Amino acid sequence: MYVYDSLDKTLLNQRVAEFRDQVQRRLDGDLTEDQFKPLRLMNGLYLQLHAYMLRVAIPYGTLSSDQMRKLAYVAKTYDRGYGHFTTRQNIQFNWIELSTAPDLLYDLSEVDLHAIQTSGNCIRNVTADPYAGAAADELDDPRIWSEVIRQWSTLHPEFSFLPRKFKIAVTGSEADRAAIKFHDIGLKIVRNNEGVLGFAVYVGGGQGRTPIVAPLIKAFLPAPDLLRYLDAVLRVYNRHGRRDNIYKARIKILVDSMGADSFAAEVASEFNRLDPKLLSVRDDDVSRLRDMFAQPYLRPDPDSSSSFEDLVKKSPRLGPWFKSNAHPHKTPGYSIVTISLKPIGGIPGDATAEQMFGIADLADRFSLGEIRVTYTQNLILPHVRQADLFVLWQELERLNLATPNVGLASDIIACPGLDYCSLANARSIPISQRISERFANLNAQHDVGPLDIRISGCINACGHHHAGHIGILGVDKKGEERYQLTLGGQGNGESAVGKIVGPGFDEDGIVDAVETVVSTYLSLRTEGEVFSQTLARTGQDPFKERLYDNR
Amino acid sequence: MPFILSANRLRDGAVVYFAQDNSWSERIEDAAAVPEDRVGKLEEAGLDAEARNHVVGSYAIEVAASCPPYSTRLRERIRSHGPTVGDRQTRTAVEDHQSRPMGGPEG
């Protein structure tokens, strides 16, 4: 993993001291709320419905066990004993006091964690494939390039006051597990015909009130030119982005209005003006980062997998968990294990301090001390020997973390919604809980197959509802919560925006509607077809008929 | 319908209500309810408390004439009673939703 150097540590220490002074001046009345609000937001501290909320950056979703222990300590010491992992691969604490926030940030800085650039119109925390360094289909480790971007973008003076927030995602695999085309910039590591490493660059994707799948702006960008090209994209955006209208300020609106080709041409022109000597990514820097992210040698252990498969046959409950929660590792005999934070009827993404302490210990025992956070609000142990899977599963069961539902109907993405968020119009979490309970039968979920249900409590779409096979958007209609249903979104692998099916539903109706959609699919599917394939084949009409004909 | 005044406390962000005795209380039961023609005065009290750095973001809420005051807006009921999904420590708005119809106050 990346280890902070003295420069990083000095920056963090100075930032904590600066914020401590700012908080004290606010409490003493030397700063007004208008003066203080942008300062606290620059440190990830929001004021939500019930309290201050702190959003902690987890760079490219990678955590060490010691960092996870510190997050558990924060949950226990400064919050109410739990934290909420988000669709930005971050963690949020919901019950923070302003007066103790500087102490909290000091504690986080001891393990190189912070909340810088988790808010505001700047380049936000970079996200990446959570299987980084472990996936068999990986061309290169996206963490290396994410860290290059982190260092370039941290406190970047030119890009600290952009027209709107700016999100970058990186994947090193063909299978997109970072939803890169729903980001302001999505980077996919590729090799050209000569075998040279570089990036396919997608610009102008996003969700919110104008969901757009990012177009390809450059098919091959040589890796050393990465920062120069990103700089050019940001400069064009900074110059032309709409600052007069918050709803039209994201880069997706600019790219859409200019057209992808015109935008790409202007970026190319800006790129040529920038001095390559200043912005080229140097080989020695990349080599240093490559060494930091190189995992210790894992001895291939093919016998381990066959003996484990025998065990699966003997234990009926282990089989479904292995099938949905374990993924092949690049090293024979190892697995990438997803820890579901979606217990049936639970709050998606929530983990208690005890669970976080437990996961940290399991990471040390079974996964080289490494943990990943997924944008689907689960956690990952990336390097688990298959011979250890049975014991790991038992330990996860003890922590109530062994739900075998990854990628299935109850693995629901949900934003905090109106229960916590001051922007929300409707609740998300209770809807997700009720749907999860409706599909509580795990055998039936496995029979239904891959199904991606996503819920947002407002049009800002933090719950990624546009990209769900089944998407739910909560709205306020004359003081009542209503829920719009969309079908056909894609966020894992493929990228597509779902389409609204018809009139919305009330709280009870939306849960029934989801069940109707699933039962319709089951009646329509052909042998081996998954939900998204059936929907693509039949279109929405048979689903609409079942949903609305009897209303 | 009467109005009450709410805000978040500066120090910890807690939801508070302007009370009869000019203090700020975490209990909606303590909120001073005033008729519509006195909302301006109520809002002035909020701005004064903001200027003295006690609270932030004060605003008036229309409530039903009941005891305790009852907002027809779910957002305000969640603010006063906590998340409907429980936050593991405080009493939650679930009880409130179960005991009262969503559309309005009882009696």
Side-chain angles (χ1 to χ4, degrees):
Chain A
M1 290 183 62
Y2 179 72
V3 180
Y4 270 27
D5 61 17
S6 61
L7 197 67
D8 293 310
K9 286 182 182 294
T10 301
L11 187 154
L12 274 198
N13 291 338
Q14 289 177 346
R15 187 62 173 253
V16 171
E18 180 186 63
F19 190 55
R20 187 183 295 283
D21 177 62
Q22 290 163 341
V23 168
Q24 194 56 53
R25 286 158 64 205
R26 175 70 187 112
L27 292 172
D28 292 343
D30 296 334
L31 290 174
T32 66
E33 185 62 15
D34 285 347
Q35 290 167 328
F36 179 67
K37 185 178 171 184
L39 303 176
R40 72 167 157 75
L41 287 176
M42 282 179 186
N43 290 283
L45 197 61
Y46 290 71
L47 182 54
Q48 296 284 31
L49 287 188
H50 312 287
Y52 292 93
M53 177 275 280
L54 183 73
R55 180 181 295 154
V56 178
I58 298 175
Y60 29 95
T62 298
L63 281 173
S64 69
S65 54
D66 282 344
Q67 289 174 323
M68 181 63 96
R69 274 187 200 94
K70 188 65 87 173
L71 293 175
Y73 170 82
V74 164
K76 202 171 169 180
T77 308
Y78 296 97
D79 202 278
R80 294 186 173 180
Y82 62 102
H84 177 73
F85 290 96
T86 77
T87 53
R88 292 277 306 139
Q89 295 180 301
N90 290 327
I91 187 169
Q92 294 180 177
F93 294 104
N94 290 313
W95 301 94
I96 300 303
E97 297 187 9
L98 176 62
S99 55
T100 56
D103 293 336
L104 191 172
L105 289 172
Y106 174 80
D107 287 340
L108 287 179
S109 73
E110 290 185 323
V111 291
D112 302 340
L113 285 173
H114 59 80
I116 297 169
Q117 290 178 213
T118 60
S119 176
N121 294 338
C122 55
I123 300 170
R124 301 287 186 91
N125 184 37
V126 181
T127 54
D129 183 356
Y131 289 3
D137 61 344
E138 189 171 271
L139 279 179
D140 196 24
D141 191 331
R143 293 173 300 171
I144 295 165
W145 302 100
S146 300
E147 177 56 27
V148 167
I149 297 167
R150 187 195 72 81
Q151 295 187 14
W152 160 77
S153 63
T154 297
L155 307 187
H156 196 303
E158 191 176 337
F159 305 136
S160 292
F161 296 95
L162 295 166
R164 275 297 269 141
K165 57 188 169 183
F166 203 91
K167 300 172 183 176
I168 302 174
V170 190
T171 182
S173 296
E174 189 57 40
D176 178 12
R177 288 172 290 260
I180 63 165
K181 292 178 193 170
F182 282 115
H183 286 74
D184 295 292
I185 295 179
L187 297 168
K188 180 180 170 185
I189 299 172
V190 293
R191 287 189 189 279
N192 67 6
N193 292 336
E194 287 75 47
V196 177
L197 194 75
F199 299 90
V201 185
Y202 299 83
V203 180
Q207 299 197 49
R209 72 182 59 229
T210 313
I212 296 177
V213 175
L216 181 68
I217 297 295
K218 192 163 183 61
F220 183 76
L221 175 73
D225 291 338
L226 175 65
L227 296 184
R228 189 173 160 210
Y229 196 81
L230 294 184
D231 220 87
V233 171
L234 266 295
R235 281 186 157 211
V236 171
Y237 171 50
N238 222 356
R239 188 179 305 141
H240 298 302
R242 294 277 301 268
R243 291 172 188 272
D244 61 323
N245 184 337
I246 192 172
Y247 302 120
K248 295 184 176 177
R250 294 292 289 268
I251 195 172
K252 62 189 173 186
I253 304 294
L254 178 67
V255 175
D256 196 49
S257 64
M258 286 178 73
D261 291 343
S262 299
F263 180 83
E266 184 145 352
V267 170
S269 169
E270 185 66 32
F271 176 82
N272 289 331
R273 274 200 290 271
L274 290 167
D275 183 354
K277 285 198 233 54
L278 291 176
L279 284 165
S280 283
V281 183
R282 290 175 7 199
D283 287 346
D284 56 337
D285 283 339
V286 174
S287 296
R288 190 172 55 86
L289 292 175
R290 201 173 287 287
D291 289 345
M292 282 183 174
F293 287 111
Q295 70 184 41
Y297 175 68
L298 296 174
R299 187 173 60 82
D301 189 8
D303 294 343
S304 160
S305 56
S306 55
S307 61
F308 180 74
E309 278 162 19
D310 289 341
L311 202 55
V312 165
K313 285 176 196 155
K314 288 177 199 158
S315 174
R317 283 167 57 235
L318 186 60
W321 178 81
F322 180 67
K323 188 178 166 196
S324 60
N325 295 40
H327 187 88
H329 193 280
K330 65 183 178 185
T331 309
Y334 289 77
S335 287
I336 301 166
V337 171
T338 302
I339 299 171
S340 170
L341 296 183
K342 318 287 177 65
I344 300 301
I347 297 177
D350 268 19
T352 65
E354 290 71 25
Q355 287 175 322
M356 287 190 261
F357 279 124
I359 291 165
D361 291 345
L362 294 176
D364 280 340
R365 280 175 66 188
F366 299 115
S367 186
L368 309 175
E370 277 193 44
I371 302 151
R372 308 285 169 76
V373 185
T374 74
Y375 84 87
T376 57
Q377 300 179 283
N378 290 316
L379 298 175
I380 280 174
L381 299 180
H383 311 293
V384 181
R385 195 167 163 248
Q386 290 190 338
D388 294 329
L389 281 173
F390 182 65
V391 180
L392 171 62
W393 173 71
Q394 288 178 314
E395 294 287 349
L396 288 171
E397 282 237 305
R398 197 176 53 77
L399 291 165
N400 192 27
L401 289 168
T403 313
N405 64 346
V406 173
L408 303 178
S410 60
D411 185 9
I412 299 168
I413 296 178
C415 71
L418 189 56
D419 281 297
Y420 290 98
C421 178
S422 60
L423 297 174
N425 295 318
R427 291 171 297 157
S428 303
I429 296 169
I431 303 300
S432 74
Q433 290 173 308
R434 290 183 60 186
I435 294 171
S436 166
E437 283 162 355
R438 187 69 65 92
F439 291 98
N441 183 327
L442 287 160
N443 288 334
Q445 283 191 56
H446 279 261
D447 180 49
V448 168
L451 187 61
D452 204 348
I453 302 175
R454 303 179 174 197
I455 308 171
S456 302
C458 78
I459 194 61
N460 291 309
C462 294
H464 293 197
H465 67 278
H466 293 298
H469 298 151
I470 299 176
I472 299 168
L473 168 64
V475 299
D476 180 324
K477 198 168 182 183
K478 296 178 183 168
E480 296 288 323
E481 292 171 297
R482 298 287 292 179
Y483 295 92
Q484 289 179 354
L485 185 66
T486 61
L487 295 179
Q490 297 264 18
N492 270 330
E494 301 299 313
S495 301
V497 174
K499 292 190 176 69
I500 295 176
V501 180
F505 300 86
D506 64 14
E507 183 183 349
D508 293 327
I510 191 66
V511 180
D512 293 338
V514 170
E515 187 173 17
T516 299
V517 168
V518 173
S519 63
T520 305
Y521 149 65
L522 291 176
S523 69
L524 293 170
R525 72 174 171 184
T526 57
E527 183 70 29
E529 224 175 30
V530 297
F531 178 85
S532 54
Q533 293 167 329
T534 301
L535 180 66
R537 176 173 56 79
T538 66
Q540 286 197 350
D541 285 348
F543 293 89
K544 283 182 184 172
E545 283 167 21
R546 291 278 294 276
L547 282 165
Y548 297 108
D549 269 8
N550 296 325
R551 291 181 89 192
Chain B
M1 298 245 279
F3 286 79
I4 61 174
L5 187 71
S6 184
N8 289 85
R9 194 159 52 206
L10 171 65
R11 189 173 185 79
D12 58 7
V15 175
V16 286
Y17 299 92
F18 188 64
Q20 299 278 6
D21 62 359
N22 293 346
S23 68
W24 290 85
S25 170
E26 289 183 41
R27 291 160 37 94
I28 195 169
E29 292 87 339
D30 297 334
V34 304
E36 190 169 2
D37 60 3
R38 286 178 52 204
V39 170
K41 284 279 180 200
L42 202 60
E43 288 172 339
E44 278 178 27
L47 292 174
D48 181 57
E50 287 184 41
R52 289 185 287 113
N53 304 302
H54 293 161
V55 301
V56 292
S58 65
Y59 61 100
I61 306 163
E62 190 173 16
V63 292
S66 62
C67 187
Y70 182 85
S71 171
T72 54
R73 292 190 63 204
L74 177 59
R75 180 181 195 274
E76 292 307 328
R77 297 205 297 280
I78 289 173
R79 284 184 79 244
S80 62
H81 293 286
T84 65
V85 291
D87 81 307
R88 296 180 173 84
Q89 281 197 2
T90 60
R91 93 193 141 105
T92 73
V94 171
E95 300 147 27
D96 192 53
H97 298 305
Q98 286 170 344
S99 62
R100 293 172 186 269
M102 294 284 284
E106 285 180 350

